[in-house]
């Protein structure tokens, strides 16, 4: 599996970024052996989930919703609180998230399933209404999620390269490669900004550490809930009978944050 801490250090070196002591301390504590999304358990459950075309379609649709929802939230916070320079970076992030949403949605067709456009649009609108957060805590949350997204996306790529569904791999891998370039940018620019804030205000480290811990803890919970659900429903998921997507547990076997249940047809 991935050594996220080592990989992150190499990523920053590649972009000519040297992080400070506080950021490095937070990463050392957060990205160690206890990191849920860099374990064999995470890889194994994700590979199992992606062994079913039905579940692949479910996850792609969840990601389409999640990316659009995330874009809307980033735009809200950028417009309210970001200075002009950082606003440009966040606006670029918004555009890339919207692009990813369309890319994930387009890939659903390769699974043999379809999803309802009006359902996606309704969920996005409902989830973003009345959203509020401060700029620094929000970017700390975003960075913790982007670190996971970057790692989970690499898991997706490894599994698809096994070519369990060759036609799906042919369609999906070039798309994921395109998305990966953006995810790397998201990790780098949010991490660089948090490092700058930590140098100016060391008290922010507590908030940052809480965000990293929250993402890790929820991912461990998702591994547990998805495993329990598969134990009960494996015959349906991998058989020919229909499965109600509403019965699938909400999970973070996704590139983005937790999203609503999805309707597939």
């Amino acid at each position: 599996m991935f050594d996220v801490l080592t990989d992150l250090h190499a990523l920053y070196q590649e972009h000519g970024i040297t992080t400070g002591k506080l950021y490095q301390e937070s990463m050392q504590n957060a990205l160690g052996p206890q990191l849920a999304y860099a374990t064999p358990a995470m890889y194994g459950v994700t590979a199992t989930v992606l062994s079913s075309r039905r579940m692949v379609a479910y996850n792609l649709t969840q990601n389409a919703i999640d990316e659009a929802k995330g874009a809307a939230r980033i735009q809200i916070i950028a417009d309210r609180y970001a200075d002009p320079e950082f606003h440009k970076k966040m606006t670029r992030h918004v555009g890339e998230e919207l692009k990813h949403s369309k890319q994930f949605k387009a890939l659903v067709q390769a699974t043999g399933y379809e999803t309802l456009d009006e359902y996606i649009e309704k969920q996005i609108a409902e989830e973003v209404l009345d959203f509020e957060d401060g700029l620094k805590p929000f970017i700390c949350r975003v960075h913790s999620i982007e670190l996971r997204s970057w790692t989970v996306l690499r898991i997706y790529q490894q599994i698809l390269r096994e070519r369990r569904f060759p036609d799906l791999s042919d369609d999906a891998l070039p798309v994921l490669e395109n998305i990966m370039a953006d995810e790397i940018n998201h990790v780098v620019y949010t991490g660089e900004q948090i490092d700058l804030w930590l140098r100016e205000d060391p008290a922010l480290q507590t908030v940052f550490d809480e965000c990293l811990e929250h993402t890790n803890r929820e991912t461990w919970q998702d591994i547990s809930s998805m495993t329990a659900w598969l134990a009960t429903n494996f015959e349906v998921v991998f058989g020919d009978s229909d499965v109600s997507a509403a019965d699938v547990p909400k999970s973070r076997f996704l590139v983005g944050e937790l999203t609503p249940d999805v309707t597939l047809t």
Side-chain angles (χ1 to χ4, degrees), residues 52 68 74 102 106 124 131 164 173 175 196 199 205 235 252-253 257:
S52 161
I74 294 167
K102 294 176 181 178
I124 292 169
F131 176 73
R164 193 163 304 180
L173 283 170
V175 175
L196 175 62
R199 293 170 193 260
Q205 188 176 29
E235 291 179 327
R252 280 189 164 81
F253 291 88
E257 63 183 296

Side-chain angles (χ1 to χ4, degrees), residues 133-134 136-146 194 207-208 211 215:
D133 204 350
K136 291 181 181 180
F138 177 75
I139 294 300
C140 287
R141 286 183 244 282
V142 169
H143 188 58
S144 73
I145 292 168
E146 293 295 345
I194 290 170
V207 174
F208 184 39
C211 292
T215 298

Side-chain angles (χ1 to χ4, degrees), residues 121-187:
E121 293 168 3
K122 180 174 180 288
Q123 291 291 353
I124 292 169
E126 289 182 353
E127 290 293 316
V128 175
L129 287 175
D130 300 323
F131 176 73
E132 178 58 276
D133 204 350
L135 177 62
K136 291 181 181 180
F138 177 75
I139 294 300
C140 287
R141 286 183 244 282
V142 169
H143 188 58
S144 73
I145 292 168
E146 293 295 345
L147 286 168
R148 185 191 62 220
S149 299
W150 170 52
T151 303
V152 174
L153 192 61
R154 290 185 290 165
I155 293 175
Y156 279 11
Q157 290 175 313
Q158 281 196 2
I159 294 168
L160 286 168
R161 289 184 185 119
E162 296 173 5
R163 303 188 65 79
R164 193 163 304 180
F165 306 125
D167 52 339
L168 181 60
S169 295
D170 289 342
D171 288 332
L173 283 170
V175 175
L176 296 187
E177 184 176 353
N178 180 269
I179 293 173
M180 176 61 80
D182 296 334
E183 293 297 340
I184 288 172
N185 171 58
H186 301 166
V187 169

Side-chain angles (χ1 to χ4, degrees), residues 1-6 24-40 212-213 216 220:
M1 275 308 300
F2 300 108
D3 183 335
V4 181
L5 184 62
T6 300
Q24 291 175 17
E25 285 179 353
S26 293
M27 291 299 101
Q28 187 73 40
N29 292 332
L31 305 182
Q34 81 284 2
L35 186 65
Y37 40 96
T39 60
L212 294 165
E213 169 60 24
N216 187 42
W220 276 117

Side-chain angles (χ1 to χ4, degrees), residues 1 27 35 99 105 114 210 215 236:
M1 275 308 300
M27 291 299 101
L35 186 65
K99 181 188 72 172
K105 180 179 177 297
E114 296 179 356
E210 288 174 353
T215 298
V236 177

